[in-house]
């Protein structure tokens, strides 16, 4: 089973996915963003959002499938913030076309929470030019994320609603609980709640 996890920008998605993978029992985690960074090293014609490039899309699909086959059935988590229903549908179809089961978990948040996440982005030193570049890039694309989570046709099997105070452990546990299971009710955090 390959579980694609999509959510708002600036969440520590790889750390959360690795924590969810441990709960699932040895699932592997793939990083589609690193594929995009690799493409940026030797291509100067990539769109501003490398997900819009057909080569990236094919590589991401192939990485998920290859990792699933190499892993011998332990499962794959693919945290990648894909905010296009059309692109996500193509990736799902591409994975399924290789004979692999695919499941999509969506992390849903509010505009206010997304803006706070962008402000707290800590990969770069606060107030550095790179901090502002990444923060502004995220805020410029906030509209496409909000449209995606409101799209009734978004190809998402499980939604998890994020509250500002939901700890990473709760998010990871919720992802693990949702991975590969039939669609269920939306999961919401209540302040002080223990992990699922």
């Amino acid at each position: 089973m390959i579980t694609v996890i999509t959510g708002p920008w600036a969440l520590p998605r790889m750390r959360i996915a690795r924590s969810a993978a441990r709960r699932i029992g040895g699932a592997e985690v793939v990083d589609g963003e690193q594929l995009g960074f690799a493409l940026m090293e030797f291509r100067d014609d990539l769109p501003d959002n490398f997900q819009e490039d057909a080569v990236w899309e094919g590589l991401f699909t192939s990485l998920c499938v290859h990792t699933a086959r190499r892993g011998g059935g332990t499962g794959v988590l693919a945290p990648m913030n894909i905010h296009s229903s059309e692109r996500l549908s193509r990736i799902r179809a591409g994975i399924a076309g290789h004979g692999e089961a695919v499941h999509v978990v969506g992390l849903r948040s509010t505009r206010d929470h997304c803006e706070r996440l962008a402000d707290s982005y800590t990969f770069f030193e606060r107030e550095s030019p790179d901090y502002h570049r990444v923060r502004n890039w995220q805020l410029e694309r906030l509209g496409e994320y909000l449209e995606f989570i409101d799209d009734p046709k978004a190809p998402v099997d499980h939604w998890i609603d994020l509250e500002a105070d939901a700890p990473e452990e709760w998010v990871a546990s919720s992802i693990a609980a949702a991975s590969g299971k039939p669609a269920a009710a939306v999961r919401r955090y209540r302040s002080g709640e223990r992990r699922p």
Side-chain angles (χ1 to χ4, degrees):
M1 171 65 69
I2 297 168
T3 301
V4 178
I5 304 160
T6 183
W9 301 111
L11 273 183
R13 63 177 178 265
M14 285 301 291
R15 189 165 68 223
I16 289 170
R18 288 187 181 108
S19 180
R22 287 192 296 274
R23 288 167 168 80
I24 291 170
E28 293 196 56
V29 180
V30 301
D31 190 348
E33 191 163 16
Q34 293 303 317
L35 289 176
F37 292 154
L39 282 173
M40 291 167 69
E41 288 295 316
F42 62 89
R43 294 226 350 240
D44 57 8
D45 62 338
L46 282 176
D48 188 37
N49 180 356
F50 56 69
Q51 290 184 22
E52 296 168 5
D53 185 72
V55 173
W56 176 85
E57 192 174 300
L59 287 171
F60 179 66
T61 299
S62 296
L63 176 63
C64 291
V65 170
H66 174 75
T67 305
R69 291 179 178 169
R70 188 193 68 206
T74 58
V76 173
L77 296 182
M80 193 70 215
N81 295 336
I82 302 169
H83 302 151
S84 161
S85 293
E86 181 181 335
R87 185 176 309 120
L88 189 50
S89 293
R90 283 197 310 268
I91 289 171
R92 283 190 76 136
I95 292 171
H98 285 89
E100 298 293 332
V102 61
H103 195 76
V104 178
V105 174
L107 306 177
R108 196 161 46 188
S109 196
T110 63
R111 174 183 291 275
D112 181 62
H113 185 219
C114 290
E115 289 172 350
R116 281 186 280 152
L117 284 170
D119 287 340
S120 65
Y121 190 75
T122 56
F123 188 74
F124 295 109
E125 183 178 330
R126 184 108 180 171
E127 301 306 325
S128 70
D130 283 328
Y131 165 85
H132 284 288
R133 176 179 53 81
V134 173
R135 176 185 175 276
N136 292 341
W137 190 92
Q138 293 172 350
L139 292 176
E140 286 168 10
R141 283 154 184 79
L142 181 54
E144 69 185 40
Y145 167 72
L146 296 172
E147 284 180 23
F148 172 73
I149 63 174
D150 282 341
D151 180 2
K153 296 182 179 177
V156 174
D157 300 297
H158 275 86
W159 286 108
I160 297 169
D161 280 349
L162 298 179
E163 300 293 335
D165 61 341
E168 286 181 25
E169 178 181 301
W170 181 89
V171 178
S173 294
S174 297
I175 291 168
S179 295
K181 296 189 177 163
V186 171
R187 182 93 175 115
R188 289 184 179 86
Y189 179 75
R190 292 175 183 82
S191 188
E193 179 181 352
R194 295 182 179 273
R195 69 182 190 212

Short mmCIF file of all heavy atoms in Angstrom, two decimals, residues 49-89:
data_model
loop_
_atom_site.label_atom_id
_atom_site.label_comp_id
_atom_site.label_asym_id
_atom_site.label_seq_id
_atom_site.Cartn_x
_atom_site.Cartn_y
_atom_site.Cartn_z
N ASN A 49 6.84 25.94 -9.64
CA ASN A 49 6.43 24.80 -8.83
C ASN A 49 6.80 23.55 -9.64
O ASN A 49 6.13 23.20 -10.61
CB ASN A 49 4.93 24.83 -8.55
CG ASN A 49 4.46 23.66 -7.71
OD1 ASN A 49 5.23 22.77 -7.38
ND2 ASN A 49 3.19 23.67 -7.36
N PHE A 50 7.87 22.86 -9.21
CA PHE A 50 8.36 21.73 -10.03
C PHE A 50 7.35 20.61 -10.15
O PHE A 50 7.48 19.75 -11.02
CB PHE A 50 9.71 21.20 -9.50
CG PHE A 50 9.71 20.78 -8.05
CD1 PHE A 50 9.02 19.66 -7.62
CD2 PHE A 50 10.43 21.50 -7.13
CE1 PHE A 50 9.04 19.26 -6.29
CE2 PHE A 50 10.46 21.10 -5.79
CZ PHE A 50 9.77 19.99 -5.37
N GLN A 51 6.32 20.58 -9.30
CA GLN A 51 5.28 19.55 -9.44
C GLN A 51 4.54 19.67 -10.77
O GLN A 51 3.93 18.71 -11.22
CB GLN A 51 4.26 19.66 -8.31
CG GLN A 51 4.76 19.27 -6.95
CD GLN A 51 3.65 19.32 -5.93
OE1 GLN A 51 2.47 19.25 -6.27
NE2 GLN A 51 4.00 19.45 -4.67
N GLU A 52 4.59 20.84 -11.38
CA GLU A 52 3.90 21.04 -12.65
C GLU A 52 4.68 20.44 -13.82
O GLU A 52 4.20 20.44 -14.95
CB GLU A 52 3.67 22.54 -12.88
CG GLU A 52 2.74 23.15 -11.85
CD GLU A 52 2.73 24.66 -11.89
OE1 GLU A 52 3.38 25.25 -12.78
OE2 GLU A 52 2.08 25.27 -11.01
N ASP A 53 5.87 19.92 -13.55
CA ASP A 53 6.71 19.32 -14.58
C ASP A 53 6.38 17.84 -14.73
O ASP A 53 6.33 17.10 -13.74
CB ASP A 53 8.19 19.50 -14.21
CG ASP A 53 9.11 19.01 -15.29
OD1 ASP A 53 9.21 19.67 -16.32
OD2 ASP A 53 9.73 17.94 -15.08
N ALA A 54 6.16 17.38 -15.97
CA ALA A 54 5.79 15.98 -16.22
C ALA A 54 6.89 15.02 -15.81
O ALA A 54 6.61 13.89 -15.39
CB ALA A 54 5.44 15.80 -17.70
N VAL A 55 8.16 15.45 -15.93
CA VAL A 55 9.27 14.57 -15.53
C VAL A 55 9.23 14.33 -14.03
O VAL A 55 9.37 13.19 -13.57
CB VAL A 55 10.62 15.17 -15.96
CG1 VAL A 55 11.78 14.34 -15.41
CG2 VAL A 55 10.70 15.26 -17.48
N TRP A 56 9.01 15.41 -13.24
CA TRP A 56 8.92 15.22 -11.79
C TRP A 56 7.78 14.26 -11.46
O TRP A 56 7.94 13.35 -10.64
CB TRP A 56 8.69 16.55 -11.06
CG TRP A 56 8.50 16.31 -9.59
CD1 TRP A 56 9.49 16.19 -8.65
CD2 TRP A 56 7.26 16.05 -8.91
NE1 TRP A 56 8.93 15.89 -7.42
CE2 TRP A 56 7.58 15.79 -7.57
CE3 TRP A 56 5.93 16.00 -9.32
CZ2 TRP A 56 6.60 15.50 -6.62
CZ3 TRP A 56 4.96 15.71 -8.38
CH2 TRP A 56 5.28 15.47 -7.04
N GLU A 57 6.63 14.45 -12.07
CA GLU A 57 5.46 13.62 -11.78
C GLU A 57 5.76 12.15 -12.06
O GLU A 57 5.44 11.27 -11.25
CB GLU A 57 4.29 14.09 -12.63
CG GLU A 57 2.96 13.50 -12.23
CD GLU A 57 1.82 14.12 -13.02
OE1 GLU A 57 1.62 15.35 -12.96
OE2 GLU A 57 1.12 13.34 -13.71
N GLY A 58 6.41 11.87 -13.20
CA GLY A 58 6.77 10.48 -13.53
C GLY A 58 7.79 9.90 -12.57
O GLY A 58 7.69 8.73 -12.17
N LEU A 59 8.78 10.71 -12.16
CA LEU A 59 9.79 10.24 -11.21
C LEU A 59 9.18 9.95 -9.84
O LEU A 59 9.51 8.95 -9.20
CB LEU A 59 10.91 11.27 -11.08
CG LEU A 59 11.87 11.40 -12.25
CD1 LEU A 59 12.78 12.60 -12.07
CD2 LEU A 59 12.69 10.13 -12.43
N PHE A 60 8.28 10.83 -9.40
CA PHE A 60 7.64 10.63 -8.10
C PHE A 60 6.82 9.35 -8.10
O PHE A 60 6.89 8.53 -7.17
CB PHE A 60 6.77 11.83 -7.76
CG PHE A 60 6.05 11.71 -6.44
CD1 PHE A 60 6.74 11.69 -5.25
CD2 PHE A 60 4.66 11.63 -6.40
CE1 PHE A 60 6.08 11.58 -4.04
CE2 PHE A 60 3.99 11.53 -5.19
CZ PHE A 60 4.70 11.50 -4.01
N THR A 61 6.05 9.14 -9.15
CA THR A 61 5.25 7.91 -9.28
C THR A 61 6.16 6.69 -9.28
O THR A 61 5.91 5.71 -8.56
CB THR A 61 4.42 7.97 -10.57
OG1 THR A 61 3.54 9.10 -10.51
CG2 THR A 61 3.60 6.70 -10.76
N SER A 62 7.22 6.72 -10.06
CA SER A 62 8.15 5.59 -10.15
C SER A 62 8.84 5.32 -8.81
O SER A 62 9.04 4.16 -8.43
CB SER A 62 9.20 5.83 -11.23
OG SER A 62 8.60 5.91 -12.49
N LEU A 63 9.22 6.39 -8.10
CA LEU A 63 9.87 6.22 -6.80
C LEU A 63 8.93 5.52 -5.82
O LEU A 63 9.35 4.60 -5.09
CB LEU A 63 10.29 7.58 -6.24
CG LEU A 63 10.90 7.57 -4.84
CD1 LEU A 63 12.21 6.78 -4.81
CD2 LEU A 63 11.13 9.00 -4.35
N CYS A 64 7.67 5.93 -5.80
CA CYS A 64 6.70 5.28 -4.90
C CYS A 64 6.55 3.80 -5.24
O CYS A 64 6.59 2.94 -4.34
CB CYS A 64 5.34 5.99 -5.01
SG CYS A 64 5.29 7.66 -4.34
N VAL A 65 6.40 3.50 -6.52
CA VAL A 65 6.20 2.10 -6.95
C VAL A 65 7.44 1.27 -6.67
O VAL A 65 7.35 0.16 -6.12
CB VAL A 65 5.82 2.05 -8.45
CG1 VAL A 65 5.85 0.63 -8.98
CG2 VAL A 65 4.44 2.69 -8.67
N HIS A 66 8.61 1.78 -7.03
CA HIS A 66 9.86 1.04 -6.81
C HIS A 66 10.08 0.76 -5.33
O HIS A 66 10.47 -0.35 -4.93
CB HIS A 66 11.05 1.81 -7.38
CG HIS A 66 12.37 1.20 -7.07
ND1 HIS A 66 12.83 0.06 -7.71
CD2 HIS A 66 13.31 1.54 -6.17
CE1 HIS A 66 14.01 -0.26 -7.22
NE2 HIS A 66 14.33 0.62 -6.29
N THR A 67 9.83 1.77 -4.49
CA THR A 67 10.02 1.60 -3.05
C THR A 67 9.06 0.56 -2.49
O THR A 67 9.43 -0.27 -1.66
CB THR A 67 9.86 2.94 -2.32
OG1 THR A 67 10.75 3.89 -2.90
CG2 THR A 67 10.17 2.80 -0.84
N ALA A 68 7.82 0.56 -2.97
CA ALA A 68 6.83 -0.42 -2.50
C ALA A 68 7.27 -1.83 -2.87
O ALA A 68 7.17 -2.76 -2.06
CB ALA A 68 5.46 -0.12 -3.10
N ARG A 69 7.78 -2.02 -4.06
CA ARG A 69 8.19 -3.36 -4.50
C ARG A 69 9.45 -3.81 -3.78
O ARG A 69 9.59 -4.99 -3.46
CB ARG A 69 8.39 -3.36 -6.01
CG ARG A 69 7.06 -3.21 -6.74
CD ARG A 69 7.19 -3.18 -8.23
NE ARG A 69 5.86 -3.08 -8.83
CZ ARG A 69 5.66 -2.83 -10.10
NH1 ARG A 69 6.68 -2.66 -10.93
NH2 ARG A 69 4.42 -2.76 -10.56
N ARG A 70 10.34 -2.89 -3.54
CA ARG A 70 11.57 -3.24 -2.83
C ARG A 70 11.30 -3.56 -1.37
O ARG A 70 11.97 -4.38 -0.76
CB ARG A 70 12.56 -2.06 -2.92
CG ARG A 70 13.94 -2.38 -2.38
CD ARG A 70 14.76 -1.13 -2.21
NE ARG A 70 14.19 -0.32 -1.14
CZ ARG A 70 14.33 0.99 -1.06
NH1 ARG A 70 14.99 1.65 -1.97
NH2 ARG A 70 13.80 1.66 -0.05
N GLY A 71 10.27 -2.91 -0.81
CA GLY A 71 10.00 -3.07 0.61
C GLY A 71 9.33 -4.36 1.00
O GLY A 71 9.21 -4.68 2.18
N GLY A 72 8.85 -5.12 0.05
CA GLY A 72 8.26 -6.42 0.36
C GLY A 72 6.97 -6.35 1.15
O GLY A 72 6.71 -7.19 2.01
N GLY A 73 6.15 -5.32 0.88
CA GLY A 73 4.82 -5.29 1.51
C GLY A 73 4.73 -4.54 2.81
O GLY A 73 3.70 -4.60 3.47
N THR A 74 5.81 -3.84 3.24
CA THR A 74 5.74 -3.11 4.50
C THR A 74 5.00 -1.79 4.37
O THR A 74 4.66 -1.16 5.35
CB THR A 74 7.15 -2.82 5.05
OG1 THR A 74 7.88 -2.08 4.06
CG2 THR A 74 7.88 -4.10 5.38
N GLY A 75 4.76 -1.35 3.15
CA GLY A 75 4.02 -0.11 2.92
C GLY A 75 4.96 1.05 2.67
O GLY A 75 6.13 1.03 3.04
N VAL A 76 4.41 2.08 2.02
CA VAL A 76 5.17 3.28 1.69
C VAL A 76 4.33 4.49 2.06
O VAL A 76 3.13 4.55 1.77
CB VAL A 76 5.50 3.33 0.18
CG1 VAL A 76 6.14 4.65 -0.20
CG2 VAL A 76 6.40 2.17 -0.22
N LEU A 77 4.96 5.46 2.71
CA LEU A 77 4.34 6.75 2.96
C LEU A 77 5.05 7.77 2.09
O LEU A 77 6.27 7.85 2.08
CB LEU A 77 4.46 7.15 4.43
CG LEU A 77 3.74 6.26 5.45
CD1 LEU A 77 3.90 6.83 6.85
CD2 LEU A 77 2.27 6.12 5.11
N ALA A 78 4.27 8.54 1.34
CA ALA A 78 4.82 9.53 0.43
C ALA A 78 4.26 10.91 0.78
O ALA A 78 3.24 11.33 0.24
CB ALA A 78 4.48 9.17 -1.02
N PRO A 79 4.90 11.61 1.72
CA PRO A 79 4.42 12.94 2.09
C PRO A 79 4.81 13.96 1.03
O PRO A 79 5.99 14.23 0.82
CB PRO A 79 5.13 13.21 3.42
CG PRO A 79 6.38 12.41 3.34
CD PRO A 79 6.08 11.21 2.51
N MET A 80 3.83 14.49 0.32
CA MET A 80 4.09 15.48 -0.73
C MET A 80 2.88 16.37 -0.85
O MET A 80 1.78 15.86 -1.12
CB MET A 80 4.38 14.77 -2.06
CG MET A 80 4.96 15.67 -3.11
SD MET A 80 6.66 16.16 -2.68
CE MET A 80 6.67 17.82 -3.33
N ASN A 81 3.06 17.65 -0.63
CA ASN A 81 1.92 18.58 -0.64
C ASN A 81 1.49 18.86 -2.07
O ASN A 81 1.95 19.80 -2.70
CB ASN A 81 2.29 19.86 0.10
CG ASN A 81 2.53 19.60 1.57
OD1 ASN A 81 2.02 18.62 2.12
ND2 ASN A 81 3.31 20.43 2.21
N ILE A 82 0.58 18.04 -2.57
CA ILE A 82 0.04 18.16 -3.92
C ILE A 82 -1.34 18.79 -3.81
O ILE A 82 -2.27 18.18 -3.30
CB ILE A 82 -0.02 16.79 -4.62
CG1 ILE A 82 1.37 16.16 -4.64
CG2 ILE A 82 -0.61 16.91 -6.03
CD1 ILE A 82 1.39 14.70 -5.06
N HIS A 83 -1.45 20.04 -4.28
CA HIS A 83 -2.69 20.81 -4.09
C HIS A 83 -3.46 20.97 -5.39
O HIS A 83 -4.16 21.96 -5.58
CB HIS A 83 -2.37 22.17 -3.47
CG HIS A 83 -1.66 22.08 -2.17
ND1 HIS A 83 -0.80 23.04 -1.72
CD2 HIS A 83 -1.67 21.11 -1.21
CE1 HIS A 83 -0.32 22.70 -0.53
NE2 HIS A 83 -0.83 21.52 -0.21
N SER A 84 -3.34 19.99 -6.26
CA SER A 84 -4.08 19.98 -7.51
C SER A 84 -4.82 18.66 -7.60
O SER A 84 -4.18 17.60 -7.62
CB SER A 84 -3.13 20.14 -8.70
OG SER A 84 -3.73 19.71 -9.89
N SER A 85 -6.16 18.71 -7.63
CA SER A 85 -6.93 17.47 -7.74
C SER A 85 -6.57 16.72 -9.02
O SER A 85 -6.47 15.49 -9.03
CB SER A 85 -8.42 17.77 -7.71
OG SER A 85 -8.81 18.26 -6.45
N GLU A 86 -6.36 17.46 -10.10
CA GLU A 86 -6.02 16.83 -11.38
C GLU A 86 -4.66 16.12 -11.30
O GLU A 86 -4.54 14.96 -11.72
CB GLU A 86 -5.98 17.90 -12.47
CG GLU A 86 -5.67 17.36 -13.85
CD GLU A 86 -5.61 18.47 -14.89
OE1 GLU A 86 -6.23 19.53 -14.70
OE2 GLU A 86 -4.92 18.26 -15.91
N ARG A 87 -3.66 16.78 -10.76
CA ARG A 87 -2.33 16.17 -10.65
C ARG A 87 -2.35 14.97 -9.71
O ARG A 87 -1.78 13.92 -10.00
CB ARG A 87 -1.32 17.21 -10.16
CG ARG A 87 0.12 16.71 -10.14
CD ARG A 87 1.08 17.82 -9.73
NE ARG A 87 0.87 19.01 -10.53
CZ ARG A 87 0.52 20.20 -10.03
NH1 ARG A 87 0.37 20.36 -8.74
NH2 ARG A 87 0.33 21.22 -10.82
N LEU A 88 -3.03 15.12 -8.58
CA LEU A 88 -3.11 14.03 -7.62
C LEU A 88 -3.84 12.83 -8.22
O LEU A 88 -3.45 11.68 -8.00
CB LEU A 88 -3.79 14.52 -6.34
CG LEU A 88 -3.77 13.59 -5.14
CD1 LEU A 88 -2.38 13.07 -4.82
CD2 LEU A 88 -4.36 14.30 -3.92
N SER A 89 -4.88 13.09 -9.00
CA SER A 89 -5.60 12.00 -9.67
C SER A 89 -4.69 11.27 -10.66
O SER A 89 -4.72 10.04 -10.76
CB SER A 89 -6.83 12.54 -10.40
OG SER A 89 -7.78 13.01 -9.49
#
